[in-house]
Short mmCIF file of all heavy atoms in Angstrom, two decimals:
data_model
loop_
_atom_site.label_atom_id
_atom_site.label_comp_id
_atom_site.label_asym_id
_atom_site.label_seq_id
_atom_site.Cartn_x
_atom_site.Cartn_y
_atom_site.Cartn_z
N ALA A 33 0.88 -1.14 0.01
CA ALA A 33 -0.02 0.03 0.00
C ALA A 33 0.87 1.21 -0.03
O ALA A 33 0.59 2.14 -0.85
CB ALA A 33 -0.94 0.03 1.18
N ASP A 34 1.89 1.26 0.86
CA ASP A 34 2.83 2.41 0.92
C ASP A 34 3.53 2.69 -0.40
O ASP A 34 3.82 3.85 -0.83
CB ASP A 34 3.84 2.31 2.08
CG ASP A 34 3.08 2.35 3.43
OD1 ASP A 34 1.92 2.72 3.54
OD2 ASP A 34 3.69 1.84 4.35
N SER A 35 3.89 1.60 -1.13
CA SER A 35 4.61 1.69 -2.36
C SER A 35 3.80 2.33 -3.61
O SER A 35 4.38 2.77 -4.49
CB SER A 35 5.09 0.32 -2.84
OG SER A 35 4.02 -0.34 -3.36
N LEU A 36 2.58 2.44 -3.34
CA LEU A 36 1.68 3.04 -4.39
C LEU A 36 1.73 4.56 -4.34
O LEU A 36 1.22 5.20 -5.34
CB LEU A 36 0.21 2.58 -4.17
CG LEU A 36 -0.13 1.07 -4.26
CD1 LEU A 36 -1.53 0.76 -3.90
CD2 LEU A 36 0.17 0.60 -5.68
N GLY A 37 2.25 5.09 -3.29
CA GLY A 37 2.41 6.59 -3.20
C GLY A 37 1.17 7.29 -3.01
O GLY A 37 0.26 6.82 -2.36
N PHE A 38 1.16 8.54 -3.51
CA PHE A 38 0.05 9.45 -3.25
C PHE A 38 -0.58 9.98 -4.55
O PHE A 38 0.07 10.05 -5.53
CB PHE A 38 0.50 10.60 -2.45
CG PHE A 38 1.10 10.11 -1.06
CD1 PHE A 38 2.44 9.78 -0.98
CD2 PHE A 38 0.24 10.19 0.07
CE1 PHE A 38 3.00 9.36 0.25
CE2 PHE A 38 0.80 9.71 1.27
CZ PHE A 38 2.10 9.37 1.23
N SER A 39 -1.82 10.36 -4.56
CA SER A 39 -2.44 11.18 -5.53
C SER A 39 -2.80 12.48 -4.91
O SER A 39 -3.77 12.65 -4.08
CB SER A 39 -3.76 10.50 -6.09
OG SER A 39 -4.31 11.28 -7.01
N GLY A 40 -2.05 13.59 -5.20
CA GLY A 40 -2.16 14.78 -4.43
C GLY A 40 -1.75 14.54 -3.01
O GLY A 40 -0.67 14.13 -2.66
N LYS A 41 -2.69 14.74 -2.06
CA LYS A 41 -2.39 14.52 -0.68
C LYS A 41 -2.99 13.16 -0.23
O LYS A 41 -2.84 12.86 1.02
CB LYS A 41 -3.02 15.69 0.17
CG LYS A 41 -4.59 15.65 0.13
CD LYS A 41 -5.07 16.76 1.01
CE LYS A 41 -6.70 16.82 0.94
NZ LYS A 41 -7.36 15.53 1.24
N ASP A 42 -3.62 12.46 -1.11
CA ASP A 42 -4.26 11.25 -0.70
C ASP A 42 -3.54 9.97 -0.89
O ASP A 42 -3.05 9.69 -2.05
CB ASP A 42 -5.63 11.12 -1.41
CG ASP A 42 -6.51 12.37 -1.38
OD1 ASP A 42 -6.50 12.87 -0.16
OD2 ASP A 42 -7.21 12.69 -2.29
N PRO A 43 -3.26 9.14 0.12
CA PRO A 43 -2.51 7.89 -0.10
C PRO A 43 -3.39 7.06 -1.00
O PRO A 43 -4.61 6.94 -0.83
CB PRO A 43 -2.50 7.26 1.28
CG PRO A 43 -2.78 8.43 2.27
CD PRO A 43 -3.66 9.37 1.50
N ARG A 44 -2.78 6.33 -1.93
CA ARG A 44 -3.50 5.50 -2.98
C ARG A 44 -3.88 4.17 -2.34
O ARG A 44 -4.80 3.57 -2.82
CB ARG A 44 -2.65 5.33 -4.18
CG ARG A 44 -2.47 6.47 -5.09
CD ARG A 44 -1.90 6.16 -6.40
NE ARG A 44 -1.64 7.25 -7.37
CZ ARG A 44 -0.52 7.91 -7.48
NH1 ARG A 44 0.59 7.47 -6.83
NH2 ARG A 44 -0.35 8.95 -8.34
N GLY A 45 -3.22 3.77 -1.30
CA GLY A 45 -3.41 2.46 -0.68
C GLY A 45 -4.61 2.28 0.17
O GLY A 45 -4.91 1.17 0.67
N SER A 46 -5.35 3.31 0.33
CA SER A 46 -6.63 3.27 1.13
C SER A 46 -7.61 4.37 0.67
O SER A 46 -7.23 5.22 -0.01
CB SER A 46 -6.38 3.51 2.58
OG SER A 46 -5.67 4.73 2.81
N ILE A 47 -8.87 4.10 0.98
CA ILE A 47 -9.96 5.06 0.58
C ILE A 47 -11.08 4.97 1.45
O ILE A 47 -11.28 4.10 2.19
CB ILE A 47 -10.51 4.56 -0.84
CG1 ILE A 47 -11.27 5.77 -1.52
CG2 ILE A 47 -11.25 3.23 -0.84
CD1 ILE A 47 -11.50 5.59 -2.95
N ALA A 48 -11.76 6.15 1.65
CA ALA A 48 -12.89 6.30 2.51
C ALA A 48 -14.16 6.22 1.79
O ALA A 48 -14.40 6.99 0.86
CB ALA A 48 -12.80 7.59 3.34
N MET A 49 -14.94 5.21 2.22
CA MET A 49 -16.29 5.09 1.56
C MET A 49 -17.25 5.80 2.38
O MET A 49 -17.74 5.36 3.43
CB MET A 49 -16.66 3.65 1.37
CG MET A 49 -15.70 2.82 0.45
SD MET A 49 -16.43 1.18 -0.07
CE MET A 49 -17.84 1.79 -1.12
N LYS A 50 -17.82 6.91 1.85
CA LYS A 50 -18.70 7.71 2.66
C LYS A 50 -20.19 7.12 2.55
O LYS A 50 -20.62 6.64 1.57
CB LYS A 50 -18.74 9.20 2.18
CG LYS A 50 -17.40 9.88 2.26
CD LYS A 50 -17.00 10.19 3.65
CE LYS A 50 -17.79 11.28 4.28
NZ LYS A 50 -17.52 12.59 3.80
N PHE A 51 -20.92 7.28 3.57
CA PHE A 51 -22.30 6.81 3.63
C PHE A 51 -23.24 7.84 2.97
O PHE A 51 -22.84 9.06 2.84
CB PHE A 51 -22.79 6.69 5.09
CG PHE A 51 -22.14 5.48 5.91
CD1 PHE A 51 -21.92 5.58 7.08
CD2 PHE A 51 -21.80 4.31 5.13
CE1 PHE A 51 -21.35 4.52 7.84
CE2 PHE A 51 -21.15 3.31 5.74
CZ PHE A 51 -21.00 3.35 7.06
N PRO A 52 -24.38 7.46 2.43
CA PRO A 52 -25.35 8.47 1.95
C PRO A 52 -25.63 9.40 2.99
O PRO A 52 -25.70 9.15 4.22
CB PRO A 52 -26.62 7.63 1.63
CG PRO A 52 -26.08 6.17 1.36
CD PRO A 52 -24.90 6.07 2.42
N ALA A 53 -25.89 10.67 2.59
CA ALA A 53 -26.12 11.78 3.49
C ALA A 53 -27.32 11.62 4.48
O ALA A 53 -28.34 11.06 4.01
CB ALA A 53 -26.40 13.08 2.80
N GLN A 54 -27.19 11.87 5.71
CA GLN A 54 -28.31 11.84 6.58
C GLN A 54 -28.67 13.22 7.20
O GLN A 54 -29.63 13.39 7.99
CB GLN A 54 -28.00 10.88 7.79
CG GLN A 54 -28.02 9.50 7.43
CD GLN A 54 -28.00 8.58 8.67
OE1 GLN A 54 -27.18 8.70 9.54
NE2 GLN A 54 -28.99 7.58 8.73
N GLU A 55 -28.05 14.30 6.61
CA GLU A 55 -28.36 15.59 7.02
C GLU A 55 -28.08 16.56 5.95
O GLU A 55 -27.04 16.38 5.23
CB GLU A 55 -27.65 16.05 8.37
CG GLU A 55 -26.13 16.19 8.24
CD GLU A 55 -25.53 16.65 9.59
OE1 GLU A 55 -26.04 16.26 10.54
OE2 GLU A 55 -24.48 17.42 9.43
N LYS A 56 -29.01 17.47 5.72
CA LYS A 56 -28.80 18.53 4.71
C LYS A 56 -29.46 19.82 5.26
O LYS A 56 -30.31 19.81 6.13
CB LYS A 56 -29.41 18.08 3.37
CG LYS A 56 -28.62 17.05 2.57
CD LYS A 56 -29.19 16.84 1.24
CE LYS A 56 -28.30 15.92 0.46
NZ LYS A 56 -28.79 15.61 -0.90
N THR A 57 -29.18 20.91 4.61
CA THR A 57 -29.72 22.13 4.93
C THR A 57 -30.92 22.36 3.99
O THR A 57 -30.88 22.01 2.82
CB THR A 57 -28.86 23.39 4.78
OG1 THR A 57 -28.10 23.34 3.57
CG2 THR A 57 -27.77 23.34 5.98
N THR A 58 -31.95 23.07 4.45
CA THR A 58 -33.11 23.42 3.61
C THR A 58 -33.76 24.64 4.22
O THR A 58 -33.30 25.18 5.22
CB THR A 58 -34.09 22.27 3.44
OG1 THR A 58 -35.15 22.55 2.48
CG2 THR A 58 -34.76 21.93 4.82
N LYS A 59 -34.87 25.05 3.57
CA LYS A 59 -35.54 26.31 4.17
C LYS A 59 -36.84 25.94 4.90
O LYS A 59 -37.59 25.08 4.38
CB LYS A 59 -35.86 27.20 3.02
CG LYS A 59 -36.39 28.64 3.32
CD LYS A 59 -36.31 29.57 2.23
CE LYS A 59 -34.92 29.99 1.87
NZ LYS A 59 -34.97 31.04 0.89
N LEU A 60 -37.05 26.63 6.00
CA LEU A 60 -38.37 26.51 6.77
C LEU A 60 -39.41 27.40 6.06
O LEU A 60 -39.27 28.76 6.02
CB LEU A 60 -38.14 26.89 8.25
CG LEU A 60 -39.41 26.95 9.04
CD1 LEU A 60 -40.03 25.52 9.14
CD2 LEU A 60 -39.15 27.49 10.39
N LEU A 61 -40.42 26.80 5.40
CA LEU A 61 -41.42 27.53 4.64
C LEU A 61 -42.50 28.00 5.51
O LEU A 61 -43.17 29.14 5.23
CB LEU A 61 -41.89 26.73 3.42
CG LEU A 61 -40.85 26.15 2.42
CD1 LEU A 61 -41.48 25.40 1.43
CD2 LEU A 61 -40.09 27.38 1.86
N ASP A 62 -43.03 27.10 6.45
CA ASP A 62 -44.14 27.50 7.25
C ASP A 62 -44.22 26.53 8.41
O ASP A 62 -43.47 25.67 8.56
CB ASP A 62 -45.49 27.17 6.33
CG ASP A 62 -46.68 27.88 6.92
OD1 ASP A 62 -46.56 28.64 7.91
OD2 ASP A 62 -47.75 27.69 6.33
N VAL A 63 -45.13 26.89 9.37
CA VAL A 63 -45.44 26.05 10.56
C VAL A 63 -46.92 25.76 10.60
O VAL A 63 -47.74 26.76 10.56
CB VAL A 63 -44.94 26.71 11.83
CG1 VAL A 63 -45.28 25.97 13.05
CG2 VAL A 63 -43.47 26.97 11.79
N GLN A 64 -47.23 24.48 10.68
CA GLN A 64 -48.69 24.13 10.77
C GLN A 64 -48.88 23.47 12.22
O GLN A 64 -48.01 22.85 12.62
CB GLN A 64 -49.05 23.07 9.72
CG GLN A 64 -48.95 23.73 8.31
CD GLN A 64 -49.24 22.66 7.26
OE1 GLN A 64 -49.32 21.41 7.55
NE2 GLN A 64 -49.58 23.15 6.01
N VAL A 65 -49.97 23.80 12.77
CA VAL A 65 -50.39 23.18 14.07
C VAL A 65 -51.57 22.25 14.01
O VAL A 65 -52.61 22.65 13.44
CB VAL A 65 -50.58 24.29 15.07
CG1 VAL A 65 -50.94 23.79 16.44
CG2 VAL A 65 -49.55 25.32 15.22
N ASN A 66 -51.23 20.95 14.36
CA ASN A 66 -52.25 19.97 14.39
C ASN A 66 -52.83 19.78 15.70
O ASN A 66 -52.08 19.80 16.68
CB ASN A 66 -51.70 18.66 13.81
CG ASN A 66 -51.18 18.82 12.39
OD1 ASN A 66 -51.84 19.40 11.59
ND2 ASN A 66 -50.05 18.35 12.15
N VAL A 67 -54.13 19.54 15.89
CA VAL A 67 -54.68 19.36 17.15
C VAL A 67 -55.00 17.74 17.24
O VAL A 67 -55.74 17.22 16.52
CB VAL A 67 -56.08 20.09 17.34
CG1 VAL A 67 -56.62 19.87 18.72
CG2 VAL A 67 -55.77 21.55 17.12
N GLY A 68 -54.45 17.23 18.39
CA GLY A 68 -54.62 15.82 18.61
C GLY A 68 -55.99 15.47 19.21
O GLY A 68 -56.75 16.45 19.58
N ARG A 69 -56.36 14.27 19.34
CA ARG A 69 -57.61 13.72 19.86
C ARG A 69 -57.80 14.31 21.29
O ARG A 69 -58.92 14.49 21.78
CB ARG A 69 -57.76 12.20 19.84
CG ARG A 69 -57.90 11.69 18.44
CD ARG A 69 -58.23 10.23 18.39
NE ARG A 69 -57.02 9.55 18.91
CZ ARG A 69 -56.98 8.30 19.09
NH1 ARG A 69 -58.07 7.47 18.84
NH2 ARG A 69 -55.93 7.65 19.37
N THR A 70 -56.71 14.38 22.01
CA THR A 70 -56.80 14.79 23.41
C THR A 70 -56.66 16.33 23.61
O THR A 70 -56.53 16.81 24.67
CB THR A 70 -55.66 14.14 24.28
OG1 THR A 70 -54.44 14.51 23.68
CG2 THR A 70 -55.80 12.64 24.21
N GLY A 71 -56.54 17.06 22.45
CA GLY A 71 -56.49 18.46 22.49
C GLY A 71 -55.02 19.04 22.54
O GLY A 71 -54.90 20.25 22.62
N ILE A 72 -54.05 18.11 22.46
CA ILE A 72 -52.64 18.57 22.44
C ILE A 72 -52.38 19.18 21.09
O ILE A 72 -52.56 18.57 20.02
CB ILE A 72 -51.73 17.37 22.80
CG1 ILE A 72 -51.93 16.87 24.13
CG2 ILE A 72 -50.28 17.80 22.56
CD1 ILE A 72 -51.15 15.62 24.62
N LEU A 73 -51.65 20.30 21.20
CA LEU A 73 -51.20 21.02 19.95
C LEU A 73 -49.82 20.42 19.51
O LEU A 73 -48.92 20.37 20.32
CB LEU A 73 -51.11 22.48 20.17
CG LEU A 73 -52.42 23.17 20.63
CD1 LEU A 73 -52.14 24.71 20.80
CD2 LEU A 73 -53.50 22.96 19.53
N ALA A 74 -49.67 20.06 18.22
CA ALA A 74 -48.46 19.51 17.76
C ALA A 74 -48.02 20.26 16.55
O ALA A 74 -48.45 20.09 15.40
CB ALA A 74 -48.70 18.03 17.36
N PRO A 75 -47.09 21.32 16.81
CA PRO A 75 -46.52 22.12 15.63
C PRO A 75 -45.71 21.28 14.74
O PRO A 75 -44.92 20.50 15.21
CB PRO A 75 -45.83 23.17 16.26
CG PRO A 75 -45.42 22.64 17.61
CD PRO A 75 -46.45 21.82 18.06
N ALA A 76 -45.78 21.50 13.43
CA ALA A 76 -44.96 20.80 12.48
C ALA A 76 -44.38 21.83 11.43
O ALA A 76 -45.05 22.72 11.05
CB ALA A 76 -45.73 19.65 11.76
N ALA A 77 -43.06 21.59 11.07
CA ALA A 77 -42.41 22.42 10.14
C ALA A 77 -42.74 22.02 8.75
O ALA A 77 -42.67 20.77 8.46
CB ALA A 77 -40.93 22.40 10.42
N VAL A 78 -43.00 22.95 7.83
CA VAL A 78 -43.23 22.73 6.37
C VAL A 78 -41.83 23.10 5.75
O VAL A 78 -41.50 24.30 5.91
CB VAL A 78 -44.38 23.44 5.79
CG1 VAL A 78 -44.38 23.20 4.35
CG2 VAL A 78 -45.71 22.99 6.54
N LEU A 79 -41.17 22.18 5.18
CA LEU A 79 -39.82 22.47 4.68
C LEU A 79 -39.76 22.42 3.09
O LEU A 79 -40.64 21.83 2.48
CB LEU A 79 -38.89 21.31 5.12
CG LEU A 79 -38.78 21.20 6.66
CD1 LEU A 79 -37.99 19.88 7.00
CD2 LEU A 79 -38.11 22.40 7.30
#
């Protein structure tokens, strides 16, 4: 692995396999409030 050298700053003998994204940025468009059967208010973000 070491004998393979580098590509730029990256060692060629190993690689990082990244996972699919689980977080991203987006815009908050609105807030809706739902009323549950017991009368509890449950606000929800519209993105």
Side-chain angles (χ1 to χ4, degrees):
D34 294 342
S35 73
L36 296 174
F38 301 85
S39 176
K41 66 176 177 59
D42 304 322
R44 291 192 178 99
S46 53
I47 195 166
M49 294 194 70
K50 299 290 288 289
F51 292 146
Q54 286 194 307
E55 64 178 35
K56 285 188 178 179
T57 52
T58 188
K59 185 169 288 187
L60 177 62
L61 301 179
D62 198 5
V63 175
Q64 297 178 344
V65 180
N66 301 312
V67 182
R69 288 183 298 174
T70 60
I72 295 177
L73 301 180
V78 179
L79 305 171

